[in-house]
Every structure is written in structure tokens, then in C-alpha cells.
Amino acid sequence: MLLSLAAVIAAGAVVAGGSVIAPKAAEKTLPAAVTNLPAGDASSICAPTPQLLKGVDGTDPQFAAGAKEISSNLRSIAVSDLAKRIPGSSFAKLDGSSERSLTKRIAEAEALEARGSDDDGQTGRTSKISTINDADDAQVYSLQPLGGLASEGSALRSYQAKDGDLAGLATATCQAPASNWRFTGLQTSTGSTSVMNLSNPTHTTAQISVRLRGPEGLIDTPTLQSIVLAPGESRALVLGGYAQNMDSVSAEVTSVGGKITASVQQAALRGLTPSGVDFVAPNASASNTQVIPGVWIDEKSNADALSKDDSSLVPQLHVSATGSSGAGYKVKVLGKDGEVAASFDDNLAVASNATDVQSLKQLAAGYYTIVVESDAPVTAAVRMVRGSNPKDSSDTAWAASSNVLAGTQAMPLPANGTGKFSLAAVDADSSVEATVVRKDGKLSKGRKLEINAGSSIVFDPKTVADDAQAVIFSTDANTYIGALTLSSERSIAWAAMPQANAGRDGIVVNIGG
């Protein structure tokens, strides 16, 4: 079912939907007050399976399968309350059709009851892991609230192809609709394709504008300023048709009316050789500090060999100014022992509404968090590269600036590849409890992770349970988390940690006297 008109949804978080009609105010009113509403179903949108761009018919792009052997699936986790009640959950297409029930929905009256123990007086938690295939279109993941509160749970798209033009690994967190989206590090240079997918899962028509920025500043895109997306409709935009042959493009998407989701599929070829496929994750809001967790750097010998004939095949930091003043910025690199020595120019700057690129090839192999500090709002992302032989395929992944995780949220591990989590604390020490979920849905004993300010660590769920399928993180609101996935010697992917699910925002009501 489509999300309701009055769904109140926070950017990058899975939140509740529902319709609210305010009562008519009495003739005499007291000062307005805010009242909280019980949670509705949490809904998030999963990006479609990557497809190969075959051409554009007018303004309508044509796609085909990018490989013969493709593994594309959706994995979700639904976490119970303390009474071990698992909330109802499902996948469906944007228009509500082809619904697939994952966990049985609890009767509404029973679900509204706040329970701290089961019928036998026992307290505990469990979960349900679900993995589905043959769902290549954009999908809506819905999760039932319990006890008037949003349940914990999320979903993840995982893609892997071992042949064809779209050979590689890609993962993407399913995202809640929002009014604003930003992406950094998009590429439309020769051999690269960047396709933005817009989806409107609400009952309200969305009027969308897309602003693109390149190395020289704002790009003139008059036809992208009045895109109309009807309820349940999706649209694919081939960005190379608007920003031709650019090595670094940022996108700002704004919707009025219905809230939407935006995702970007990025792929590249070196001649006839596949050079990576991935979803580019959305950025945190533009600000003077951008934190990018989960940056992985390959062995220097591999990077040297791969980039011998193409100097662009190295890890890169992409920064975009979001205002007319441009921005001066500096870069910090955080590792497990604190800040890592790195040499960048003393006066890094990005021009008015433009993009800038810095090579990260100087960094030794390992896991890092990149911090960009600027004197004006920017967005930032890192392009990672994996491969060694220029004659063989290679892969890329984009790590985007992220928000801290405030509260508790569960994230499934991808069905393809081996997933690990990178956790960073920037300004203050952080304490995190990581609870690994096994294949049968049982929760392992929580592990306490302590992160010193200015450092970044890696957590491997397999060190807790060989059959780990998801992790529940509880944080103190100081932690940035990114999920990195490796598979074979030439595959890499990155996904953002979903934000904690939330109920509806409060609404202002007048109390008559």
C-alpha cells in the first residue's frame, strides 16, 4: 500500500506513515501544544537491481540485464519487542502490488499493547531474517510498530555479477522517503554511466528539481527543474545527458509535495573491460564537517599495477561546495590508533558550487574514516577501487558522508560477499553495543565496543558467529558507521548504516477552553 499523504519521514531514516486530520479549533483557544502520535508502519524504499543502459529513446532510457549470471536479492531483519513478538513485515512494489509477506502481521489491537514480557512472564528478544530473490524493481519494505513504538529493523539490496558489462558487487540500504537528497562523486566521463532513479511511494504528486554541480560550477539543467512524479511512479535519469564527460559531479534533489527516494547506479568500462558497478549512497546534509566511515584502501602493489595505464584508477576523495562562496577545506584520516599522517596541500579549496577531487593513493592498505572540515558547507564521498591486473575486470565502491547513529538500529549483512562494519568517533569517545544476529534469528550476547575520539575501528560479525546475518547497534549518538563488503579479489561494495526508526513527529494542536 502506498505511503499516506501525511507520512512524516526524516531524511535517511525509516519512519512511520499515517493520515492525521486536525480537529477544528474551539472559539477560545489555549496556546498551541505539541502532541506525540503513535507510530505507524515504518517504510523504506529499496533501489532496483542495476541494469545496463542500452540507449535513450527520446528522454526514455532503455535498459537490459548487465550480465548472464546475476545474484540480486533483498535481505531484511525484523526485531521483536521484549515479549518476543516479531512485528509484521513485507516487501511490495511502489504501487502496493505484488506484496510478499515476510513475517505475519499482529492484530492491530494486540500490537498496540506495550508488553515487557511474554505470556509466561519471560523477557527476551528474537528476530526474523528474510532473504528474497526475483524482486528487481524498486521495492517498499514495511515494518509494523509494536506498543505504539516503531520496531527495529531494516532492509538491504545486494547485487553481484561475475560476468558482463556490470560485473562487480553492489549494496544499498533501503531508504525512507525524504524531501531532499544529495550525492557526491558521480561520474559521466568516457566509459562511465550514472543513472539516477527517482521513486514516489506516497499518495501525493511530487514536483522535483535536480541541480548538478561539476568542476566548473553549476550545470545548466532547465529540463530537470520541473519533473513531475505521480504517486507510485518511478523515473530514471541518465545524468550523462545533462553533464557530459565529467570526472566529478554532485547532485542535489529537492521534492515539493510527495516525499521521494533517490538512488544512483554508477558503472564503468575500460574499453571492453568492466571497471566497476555500485550504488552511490546519499550524503549526509551539507555542513562544515563531513565524516566518511568505511573507507578501504587496497595494497599499494595492486593500486600501482591497476593504475599504470590509467591514473584515474586510484582511490579518490570528492568534495562539492554547495554555495556560491565555495569552500576552503582540510582532510583528516582516522585509523584504529588515531589520526593517520597524510600529506595534502595546505590550501585545499573548491570553487563556487563546484566539485574537487583529491587522490588517496598515498594511504597504506587498510580501513579508514575520512573527515573533511571546511569553512563553508560541503558534501563529500570517497571512491574506492579494487583490482590489480588492468586486463581483468576491477570494481569500485562509493563511501558517502554519514550521520551519527542515534539510538538503536539493526542492519542485515549482504547475501553476497563478506560484510564488516567500520565505526568512527570524531570529537568525543564513543561506546557501542553490537549484538550479532544468527541465521535462525537468535541474538548473540552483545559485545561492547569502545572507540576513542579521533579514531576508527572495524567490527567483523563473523568473530562472534560464523552464521551472522545481521547486527543490532546501540550507540550513544557519537558514532558514525559504514558497512563495507568484499568478495573475491576484485569486488567491493559499501552501504550506509540506516538511521534508527522513529514514530511520527508531534503535531501542533489547539486545546479549547
Side-chain angles (χ1 to χ4, degrees):
M1 185 172 67
L2 295 177
L3 301 182
S4 73
L5 171 62
V8 183
I9 298 175
V14 182
V15 298
S19 295
V20 179
I21 300 177
K24 182 178 179 181
E27 291 183 4
K28 295 182 179 180
T29 62
L30 296 174
V34 175
T35 183
N36 290 321
L37 299 172
D41 275 18
S43 297
S44 56
I45 313 305
C46 308
T49 294
Q51 289 186 300
L52 182 65
L53 177 66
K54 300 296 289 186
V56 180
D57 181 9
T59 59
D60 184 24
Q62 306 297 310
F63 297 96
K68 292 180 180 179
E69 296 184 18
I70 294 175
S71 172
S72 182
N73 46 61
L74 294 165
R75 175 170 287 174
S76 64
I77 176 173
V79 183
S80 77
D81 62 5
L82 290 175
K84 301 180 183 178
R85 298 182 301 172
I86 296 177
S89 60
S90 64
F91 283 113
K93 291 186 177 181
L94 285 176
D95 60 4
S97 65
S98 304
E99 183 176 9
R100 301 190 192 191
S101 177
L102 306 173
T103 53
K104 185 178 179 180
R105 193 173 185 88
I106 298 172
E108 297 305 319
E110 181 183 348
L112 280 172
E113 297 178 8
R115 299 184 59 181
S117 61
D118 61 19
D119 293 337
D120 297 324
Q122 300 296 312
T123 295
R125 303 244 282 170
T126 186
S127 69
K128 179 66 166 65
I129 304 289
S130 303
T131 304
I132 68 168
N133 301 302
D134 304 319
D136 292 328
D137 296 333
Q139 297 283 313
V140 180
Y141 176 63
S142 298
L143 185 64
Q144 182 184 23
L146 295 178
L149 301 174
S151 298
E152 294 166 14
S154 67
L156 180 80
R157 166 78 73 182
S158 174
Y159 165 95
Q160 186 170 31
K162 296 182 179 180
D163 66 346
D165 289 349
L166 295 186
L169 184 68
T171 57
T173 305
C174 301
Q175 302 276 357
S179 298
N180 297 281
W181 298 88
R182 291 183 183 272
F183 300 88
T184 308
L186 312 181
Q187 296 181 315
T188 63
S189 50
T190 302
S192 297
T193 58
S194 190
V195 179
M196 177 178 288
N197 289 289
L198 304 174
S199 299
N200 179 8
T202 74
H203 280 301
T204 305
T205 297
Q207 298 185 16
I208 303 167
S209 66
V210 180
R211 301 180 78 194
L212 300 179
R213 296 173 169 90
E216 303 300 322
L218 278 173
I219 300 167
D220 187 25
T221 55
T223 58
L224 295 182
Q225 302 313 305
S226 56
I227 301 170
V228 177
L229 209 58
E233 187 180 11
S234 60
R235 183 84 53 85
L237 304 175
V238 182
L239 299 183
Y242 308 94
Q244 293 87 10
N245 199 28
M246 294 188 181
D247 292 326
S248 184
V249 176
S250 69
E252 178 184 356
V253 183
T254 304
S255 174
V256 176
K259 289 182 170 66
I260 64 167
T261 56
S263 63
V264 176
Q265 170 198 316
Q266 185 83 35
L269 291 171
R270 288 177 278 116
L272 300 177
T273 305
S275 191
V277 61
D278 201 18
F279 297 105
V280 180
N283 286 110
S285 298
S287 68
N288 292 48
T289 301
Q290 296 279 286
V291 180
I292 309 169
V295 173
W296 179 87
I297 303 296
D298 203 350
E299 295 289 344
K300 189 176 187 304
S301 58
N302 291 338
D304 288 343
L306 186 64
S307 62
K308 180 179 179 181
D309 298 322
D310 187 344
S311 60
S312 69
L313 293 175
V314 296
Q316 296 174 334
L317 169 65
H318 292 245
V319 179
S320 176
T322 58
S324 59
S325 63
Y329 67 95
K330 61 181 181 179
V331 180
K332 291 183 179 179
V333 181
L334 307 183
K336 62 184 179 63
D337 296 320
E339 187 170 351
V340 175
S343 177
F344 295 96
D345 289 345
D346 292 333
N347 299 304
L348 295 175
V350 54
S352 168
N353 283 306
T355 60
D356 189 48
V357 180
Q358 299 295 323
S359 172
L360 298 177
K361 188 179 178 180
Q362 62 177 294
L363 299 179
Y367 294 84
Y368 301 98
T369 290
I370 303 296
V371 180
V372 176
E373 297 177 340
S374 58
D375 57 15
V378 298
T379 58
V382 169
R383 188 189 73 163
M384 299 173 284
V385 180
R386 191 176 192 204
S388 58
N389 189 341
K391 296 180 180 179
D392 294 333
S393 64
S394 57
D395 202 7
T396 53
W398 275 258
S401 60
S402 302
N403 294 304
V404 293
L405 175 62
T408 301
Q409 181 57 296
M411 182 175 183
L413 293 167
N416 301 301
T418 301
K420 298 180 181 181
F421 293 91
S422 175
L423 301 89
V426 177
D427 297 320
D429 295 348
S430 179
S431 180
V432 181
E433 183 173 82
T435 303
V436 173
V437 181
R438 306 175 70 103
K439 189 175 183 179
D440 60 6
K442 294 181 179 179
L443 277 58
S444 301
K445 183 180 179 180
R447 178 174 291 186
K448 204 76 168 179
L449 306 175
E450 302 293 344
I451 312 167
N452 295 327
S455 66
S456 176
I457 67 171
V458 176
F459 175 65
D460 182 357
K462 299 287 186 181
T463 62
V464 177
D466 289 338
D467 62 345
Q469 300 281 290
V471 180
I472 304 171
F473 290 103
S474 295
T475 79
D476 53 10
N478 289 324
T479 311
Y480 299 85
I481 304 176
L484 189 77
T485 304
L486 301 176
S487 177
S488 78
E489 62 183 14
R490 298 196 301 269
S491 296
I492 185 172
W494 187 94
M497 179 72 200
Q499 291 297 294
N501 297 346
R504 298 186 187 94
D505 290 344
I507 61 169
V508 177
V509 296
N510 290 312
I511 303 172

